[in-house]
Amino acid sequence: MTLLKVHSYAAGDWIAPGSGARPIHSAVNGKLIAESGGATLDFARMLDFARSKGGTSLRAMGFHERAAMLKQLALYLNERREALYEISYETGATLGDHKFDIDGGIGTLFVFSSKGRREMPDGNVYLDGDLERFGKTGSFMGQHVAVPLQGVALHINAFNFPVWGMLEKLAPALLAGVPAIVKPATATAYVTELAVRMMLESGILPEGALQFIAGGTGDLLDRLGGQDVVSFTGSAATGTMLRATPNILANAVRFVAEQDSLNASILGPDVAPGTPAFDIFIKEAHREMTTKAGQKCTAIRRIIVPEAHQEAVIEALSARLAKTVIGDPREKDTRMGALVSADQKADVLAKAAIIGEEAERVFGNPDDFALNGNVDRGAFLPPMLFHCANPDTATKVHETEAFGPVSTVMPYRDLAHAIALANRGEGSLVASVVTESGDVARAVVMDAGPTHGRLYFNNPASAAEATGHGAPMPHMIHGGPGRAGGGEELGGVRGVLHYMQRTAVQGSPDLITAIGNRWVPGAAEIEGPAHPFTRGFHELEIGETIRTPAREITLDDIEHFAHFTGDTFYAHMNEEAAAANPFFPGRVAHGYLLLAFAAGLFVQPDPGPVLANTGLDALRFLKPVVPGDSLRVRLTVKQKTRRTAEYGEVRWHVTLMNQDDDMVAEYELLTMNAY
């Protein structure tokens, strides 16, 4: 294999390693395969390049344009993932591990692209929460908005996921409109560099949107300001050191940390050996010990089981571990590869020795294990299972993480004891529970929720679609309190907002409408040249309104609707019973009758740009309508969202009023309109 020179990409140039470059050895055979770092980088120039070029270009795009960009990136990488698989074998990872990392990262791009298109507006101002009204007339109101930060996202990533670790941070940053500087861990930087080269060579990203550091960050953290974000994944010690950088503290630089933690898995008190739920528990524990050779920030480190079942768990898990083929990750029957380096192996063994002071090793001998393929011991280790018989008096098993295929079984007396043991980790990324009891699940959420970033429940009812204890999903937050770093990543739009500034905006309805490009009640109403249903998507203006003539609601209307639909609820058909209801003055019109009549009042029946009614949101019935009342409608274009090159979604604000101008109902109508 040709020696790889891991280059940095700074201010538009690829920069080769310098004289102080660090060597990188194959995890499989120990041979020198790459060198990285040592070059002198101009960090001031890199920051200016990101802010002036990357940030400016990204902010000029709307959320939907940036979402489309992410989808293009995902498709581009997906077509080239075989090359990423191949180079990743040198990290010690198996094909299954590659898919977890590379396919998982590409999938994250797809998810954030979808979130951007479906859950964010077709513009560059995100409306956060509902409108707030401060007075009786509605002439002054407030709205929380979020806009892109005007700085740089510095992403400092761990060695274990060289592709997913980068893309799970990059996707929300780019969707927010913030350029990124990526700094991977040296041990696997050559994999990340290849992915970065692919993305840059695609031509999909604006210039300055992505830069890459191979090596140290020098004085980069000292140059950051209040518009910048640092997102870190790695050890608690490194995270604490970086977070304490004086400049980070002085300028209140946003710092998002996702740190290694002592994650736990609890076998519910309702689950017994020999049941499908028990088998699920063993399968999850085995997978988390062996995937990526246990080098996952979400891996199960503490296996918490009922006292009566501890021997059964040890026996079942040991039997499964014994069948795990360890060795050359390129061999098809290998199921667990090597640790990333000899140094990492030494660290795992040192931490395992500490755990061994309070627990007995019941499976896995690091000095005696078989290897598949033509490889030597090098950075390989077998899975090692420990048993801590007295977890209450132990301390080291609750504070020491061996970042490899190491886990400890510990017994509990009752559910409260199990939760207390899980919480002894003092903050983790994830805890899992295998249970079929809703009471158990509720108790865990209430008492373990404060110390865990994610709670994963599984049982036979969910097993077919369950994503796994150790698999953070882009839709859900990833992070945790305390030892886990106190940060959050992913989580769909929540992750995007980490790279945006939430601002409270106050003003008149017209100004709030202009800022959010979304009509609010009280803002100006525009009279169009023709019925809005006859005008194409691009012709419609925000605030364009029609007001319909009135229609009287008769008793015959109510009775006909009741018999026609079968809705003969007493409030519509029995005067005495309806009058006894404190909400009604007597017989009243059906709410859905009002909606049907409203549509009849505002719909333009001829073929035109309106293609389909796709939904109705935020329906509220505000005042009863009795026979003799009249009904009229105000229909206003509230918001427009492009969906394809042929059509877009129009959100209409619909208000139903009676003869006294009292509002009787309000809702939002969604239609798809041709351009």
Side-chain angles (χ1 to χ4, degrees):
M1 179 176 178
T2 304
L3 185 68
L4 299 172
K5 304 280 189 176
V6 183
H7 289 56
S8 295
Y9 184 74
D13 297 316
W14 286 103
I15 301 173
S19 57
R22 289 177 56 186
I24 303 174
H25 296 87
S26 168
V28 179
N29 56 33
K31 293 180 180 179
L32 179 66
I33 58 170
E35 59 181 21
S36 176
T40 299
L41 301 180
D42 187 339
F43 292 115
R45 185 166 173 246
M46 290 180 71
L47 289 171
D48 179 68
F49 187 71
R51 291 167 181 154
S52 63
K53 290 187 177 292
T56 299
S57 296
L58 287 169
R59 291 193 301 274
M61 304 165 69
F63 294 113
H64 286 202
E65 291 176 274
R66 297 193 287 264
M69 177 183 71
L70 293 183
K71 183 177 182 180
Q72 288 180 288
L73 276 181
L75 292 169
Y76 190 86
L77 289 174
N78 200 51
E79 292 173 353
R80 291 156 179 81
R81 65 186 187 276
E82 293 293 339
L84 292 168
Y85 290 169
E86 181 58 33
I87 197 172
S88 293
Y89 280 118
E90 299 300 335
T91 70
T94 65
L95 179 59
D97 296 334
H98 303 338
K99 291 183 176 182
F100 198 105
D101 178 32
I102 295 160
D103 293 11
I106 294 170
T108 297
L109 288 175
F110 278 122
V111 169
F112 273 93
S113 172
S114 177
K115 292 287 183 182
R117 287 181 287 112
R118 296 179 183 279
E119 299 180 21
M120 303 188 81
D122 187 13
N124 45 30
V125 175
Y126 178 77
L127 304 181
D128 182 15
D130 295 329
L131 197 66
E132 301 287 349
R133 293 179 173 82
F134 305 126
K136 292 182 179 180
T137 66
S139 63
F140 186 70
M141 52 185 56
Q143 172 72 62
H144 288 99
V145 304
V147 293
L149 291 170
Q150 297 183 0
V152 178
L154 173 60
H155 294 160
I156 302 174
N157 296 320
F159 68 80
N160 51 342
F161 287 100
V163 176
W164 181 84
M166 171 181 62
L167 296 180
E168 60 105 8
K169 293 181 174 66
L170 187 62
L174 294 178
L175 183 54
V178 176
I181 297 175
V182 174
K183 188 266 182 262
T186 299
T188 54
Y190 54 94
V191 181
T192 311
E193 187 218 34
L194 179 58
V196 169
R197 283 187 181 274
M198 289 177 178
M199 288 189 285
L200 292 173
E201 289 169 358
S202 73
I204 294 168
L205 291 172
E207 187 179 31
L210 174 61
Q211 296 178 82
F212 177 79
I213 298 173
T217 56
D219 65 351
L220 180 55
L221 271 69
D222 296 325
R223 296 178 177 275
L224 301 179
Q227 289 292 306
D228 302 313
V229 182
V230 178
S231 185
F232 165 80
T233 298
S235 70
T238 303
T240 299
M241 177 189 70
L242 295 175
R243 195 197 302 264
T245 303
N247 182 63
I248 298 291
L249 298 174
N251 288 299
V253 177
R254 298 187 191 196
F255 193 98
V256 181
E258 183 257 287
Q259 297 170 179
D260 307 333
S261 62
L262 291 156
N263 312 299
S265 186
I266 300 172
L267 179 64
D270 57 307
V271 179
T275 64
F278 184 86
D279 294 341
I280 289 170
F281 182 80
I282 298 300
K283 182 179 179 181
E284 291 267 14
H286 171 264
R287 180 171 57 206
E288 294 307 312
M289 288 185 69
T290 57
T291 300
K292 297 288 289 189
Q295 300 170 114
K296 291 170 57 185
C297 56
T298 52
I300 296 170
R301 305 303 180 192
R302 296 172 302 144
I303 302 172
I304 302 172
V305 303
E307 287 179 338
H309 303 327
Q310 56 187 319
E311 293 302 329
V313 168
I314 292 171
E315 181 180 348
L317 184 52
S318 296
R320 196 172 182 103
L321 291 170
K323 296 177 182 178
T324 303
V325 178
I326 308 162
D328 186 344
R330 284 187 169 86
E331 296 289 337
K332 290 183 178 180
D333 51 349
T334 293
R335 292 297 174 264
M336 192 177 100
L339 278 79
V340 75
S341 66
D343 288 343
Q344 185 63 22
K345 174 179 176 178
D347 182 72
V348 170
L349 288 173
K351 298 295 176 54
I354 294 173
I355 293 170
E357 295 174 17
E358 296 178 339
E360 175 190 5
R361 178 160 48 84
V362 293
F363 182 87
N365 184 347
D367 298 318
D368 183 18
F369 62 98
L371 282 172
N372 183 43
N374 186 25
V375 291
D376 57 28
R377 291 286 169 85
F380 289 92
L381 276 178
M384 289 181 282
L385 184 65
F386 287 80
H387 175 222
C388 178
N390 299 299
D392 289 332
T393 59
T395 58
K396 294 173 182 177
V397 295
H398 299 298
E399 62 186 23
T400 303
E401 180 182 27
F403 200 72
V406 180
S407 194
T408 303
V409 175
M410 50 189 71
Y412 70 82
R413 296 180 298 275
D414 53 31
L415 182 60
H417 186 214
I419 293 171
L421 291 176
N423 291 346
R424 287 280 299 276
E426 297 183 356
S428 83
L429 297 172
V430 55
S432 60
V433 186
V434 173
T435 181
E436 297 183 78
S437 167
D439 291 338
V440 169
R442 189 181 308 108
V444 171
V445 169
M446 289 300 299
D447 295 333
T451 60
H452 299 83
R454 176 165 59 93
L455 292 172
Y456 168 88
F457 296 94
N458 199 4
N459 60 41
S462 57
E465 292 189 351
T467 51
H469 165 105
M473 300 302 292
H475 320 66
M476 308 295 289
I477 61 168
H478 177 48
R483 193 192 301 272
E488 283 185 1
E489 297 177 334
L490 300 176
V493 174
R494 294 174 182 84
V496 180
L497 294 177
H498 291 311
Y499 298 94
M500 304 182 75
Q501 176 60 46
R502 183 184 291 109
T503 300
V505 176
Q506 296 172 296
S508 69
D510 285 328
L511 295 182
I512 298 297
T513 294
I515 291 166
N517 201 31
R518 180 171 176 150
W519 185 85
V520 301
E525 299 172 14
I526 299 170
E527 183 178 351
H531 193 288
F533 278 26
T534 67
R535 289 158 50 71
F537 178 86
H538 284 309
E539 297 175 289
L540 292 172
E541 295 184 67
I542 300 296
E544 189 168 327
T545 301
I546 61 168
R547 291 175 177 265
T548 72
R551 169 174 181 160
E552 183 179 351
I553 307 298
T554 67
L555 188 59
D556 285 343
D557 291 331
I558 296 171
E559 292 186 344
H560 176 75
F561 189 85
H563 293 302
F564 184 74
T565 63
D567 180 0
T568 55
F569 185 62
Y570 74 87
H572 313 305
M573 303 300 289
N574 186 319
E575 181 70 27
E576 183 178 353
N581 187 316
F583 288 95
F584 302 126
R587 293 175 69 178
V588 297
H590 305 69
Y592 297 109
L593 168 63
L594 302 180
L595 298 185
F597 279 174
L601 289 170
F602 67 69
V603 163
Q604 208 285 339
D606 299 326
V610 177
L611 304 175
N613 173 347
T614 59
L616 182 153
D617 289 342
L619 171 63
R620 294 291 183 272
F621 294 113
L622 304 170
K623 186 174 183 177
V625 172
V626 300
D629 283 350
S630 62
L631 181 72
R632 59 187 179 84
V633 182
R634 179 184 65 194
L635 179 75
T636 302
V637 178
K638 180 169 186 171
Q639 189 176 30
K640 295 165 56 181
T641 303
R642 289 174 295 174
R643 291 303 184 197
T644 72
E646 291 80 29
Y647 59 84
E649 178 185 87
V650 180
R651 182 176 291 269
W652 309 81
H653 187 271
V654 187
T655 307
L656 281 58
M657 294 160 289
N658 66 14
Q659 67 279 358
D660 300 319
D661 282 340
D662 294 331
M663 204 182 311
V664 299
E666 187 176 36
Y667 59 96
E668 294 179 2
L669 173 70
L670 301 175
T671 63
M672 286 297 176
N673 289 42
Y675 284 170

